[in-house]
Amino acid sequence: MDKPYPAAPNLRDGQLEAALRVLELTVRRRLDGLLQGNHIGLVPGPGSEPGDARPYQPGDDVRRMDWAVTARTTEPHIRMTEADRELETWVVVDLSASLDFGTAACEKRDLAVAATAAVAHLTRGGGNRIGALVATGERTIRIPARGGLAHARGLIRRVAETPRAPEGTRGDLAEAIEQLRRPPRRRGLAVVISDFLGDQTWERPLRALSARHDLLAVEVLDPRDLELPEVGTVVLADPETGRQREVDTTPLLCREFAAAAAEHRETVATALRRCGAAHLVLRTDRDWIADVVRFAVARKRQWSDAPGTLPISGGRPAAMR
């Protein structure tokens, strides 16, 4: 029976090249029509290069407050910014063992690769560059930031070909984010793709990263991350520790699991908001690229409605003088 929604291509059936071609065609066909102005809203709208100061208006980002001008004029001012001529994007791809799992049309790992492809497609062109750090818990692979279609294709292929970590290997998302901060890079866009399961040790380095970069967090989920079906006795396994436990999926246990999962998801969302990250949720049982489109259109609308910005040629906004 046909799938009710487009799924991320299966990258495990020995036909990697064919799956990557399908992924590229899918992303191009469904996203190219939206590539009009402001890089569809994934990249910083106002830019990051310092510009002129102007009086503060309700709704302005207080992090852009210019305290020197404010003190001199005794009136609150913010420092406007100008769009960068080129954008550098870095993607942290979490491929720890917890992502080698999926009960719908694909694994979370496949969805992470698909999300990487979407980010690469939405930020390429105009001299922009993209690089990646791929973390499995066993190793971290660094792919230098470069421009061009050939590099973007090669980056996606290297992410897809990353060997799986041995069972029992614990991932370390916090360390991967820390590695992105060293050495400091020019201001740009930082994207973190993960299921954000486990402890939130990643919050502190992510918040530090937001001091210099615009952040996008892509959370990849499977239905079994959120709820358990009532199927009787099952064996549950933690892929990052290797521990197993036999449980009876009673209605009470299923309710408690769903409540704990919902609480964890809300905790993650709150932490991401504290870090100043835009938050995109993708699921293995949904049309992932439609979710990308909805998110990007909403982001583009936010930047278009932001006070003090006007579009310039090429679609990137510039600060009003």
Side-chain angles (χ1 to χ4, degrees):
M1 191 171 87
D2 292 336
K3 299 184 184 74
Y5 49 84
N10 186 324
L11 304 173
R12 310 175 305 282
D13 57 6
Q15 298 180 345
L16 179 62
E17 289 299 324
L20 290 176
R21 284 197 297 272
V22 170
L23 176 60
E24 181 177 349
L25 289 174
T26 301
V27 170
R28 282 189 172 187
R29 182 175 67 250
R30 299 187 63 184
L31 295 183
D32 270 348
L34 295 172
L35 291 176
Q36 300 295 330
N38 197 20
H39 288 291
I40 199 173
L42 281 188
V43 305
S48 58
E49 293 300 321
D52 291 341
R54 67 163 173 79
Y56 172 85
Q57 299 175 7
D60 286 337
D61 189 346
V62 295
R63 292 176 298 179
R64 300 189 185 278
M65 190 72 72
D66 190 320
W67 296 110
V69 177
T70 298
R72 188 170 62 250
T73 63
T74 69
E75 179 184 1
H77 277 69
I78 65 166
R79 175 64 58 180
M80 298 300 296
T81 53
E82 298 178 359
D84 299 322
R85 293 175 179 268
E86 298 175 349
L87 174 74
E88 184 167 289
T89 300
W90 278 89
V91 186
V92 176
V93 189
D94 177 11
L95 293 185
S96 55
S98 66
L99 281 92
D100 298 337
F101 171 77
T103 61
C106 64
E107 287 188 349
K108 291 190 288 183
R109 180 188 179 100
D110 301 327
L111 196 53
V113 175
T116 304
V119 171
H121 187 69
L122 291 172
T123 58
R124 69 180 178 86
N128 295 340
R129 298 179 297 278
I130 185 170
L133 275 78
V134 188
T136 67
E138 180 186 31
R139 68 183 73 179
T140 299
I141 301 170
R142 183 184 296 267
I143 305 172
R146 297 192 179 93
L149 179 59
H151 169 71
R153 287 172 171 168
L155 181 147
I156 297 166
R157 181 176 293 104
R158 286 194 64 185
V159 174
E161 292 175 341
T162 300
R164 296 170 186 253
E167 184 177 353
T169 303
R170 185 179 294 276
D172 193 344
L173 180 60
E175 175 59 26
I177 296 173
E178 278 290 350
Q179 289 192 35
L180 181 57
R181 295 179 58 216
R182 301 191 301 263
R185 295 174 174 82
R186 60 173 293 181
R187 295 181 184 275
L189 176 66
V191 182
V192 179
I193 303 174
S194 175
D195 56 8
F196 295 99
L197 294 179
D199 297 333
Q200 290 178 210
T201 56
W202 45 264
E203 183 176 354
R204 182 183 294 271
L206 190 63
R207 187 180 298 182
L209 193 64
S210 71
R212 187 169 183 83
H213 303 282
D214 280 77
L215 296 181
L216 168 61
V218 182
E219 185 179 14
V220 292
L221 297 175
D222 184 82
R224 295 293 78 81
D225 292 331
L226 307 174
E227 58 185 7
L228 286 177
E230 297 181 29
V231 293
T233 302
V234 297
V235 176
L236 302 180
D238 183 347
E240 296 197 7
T241 63
R243 288 182 292 185
Q244 297 183 349
R245 183 178 179 181
E246 184 177 290
V247 300
D248 185 14
T249 55
T250 63
L252 176 60
L253 176 65
C254 292
R255 288 196 299 271
E256 291 177 343
F257 181 92
E263 182 180 0
H264 180 72
R265 298 267 68 81
E266 180 57 33
T267 301
V268 168
T270 301
L272 292 175
R273 285 195 297 270
R274 284 197 298 261
C275 294
H279 186 193
L280 167 62
V281 178
L282 302 179
R283 294 179 46 153
T284 60
D285 62 343
R286 290 179 49 158
D287 184 346
W288 68 275
I289 203 163
D291 288 335
V292 171
V293 169
R294 281 190 288 269
F295 172 84
V297 169
R299 288 273 289 174
K300 184 176 181 178
R301 186 177 297 117
Q302 290 174 4
W303 285 120
S304 299
D305 294 342
T309 59
L310 287 174
I312 61 173
S313 59
R316 303 290 300 276
M320 289 183 67
R321 299 283 182 177

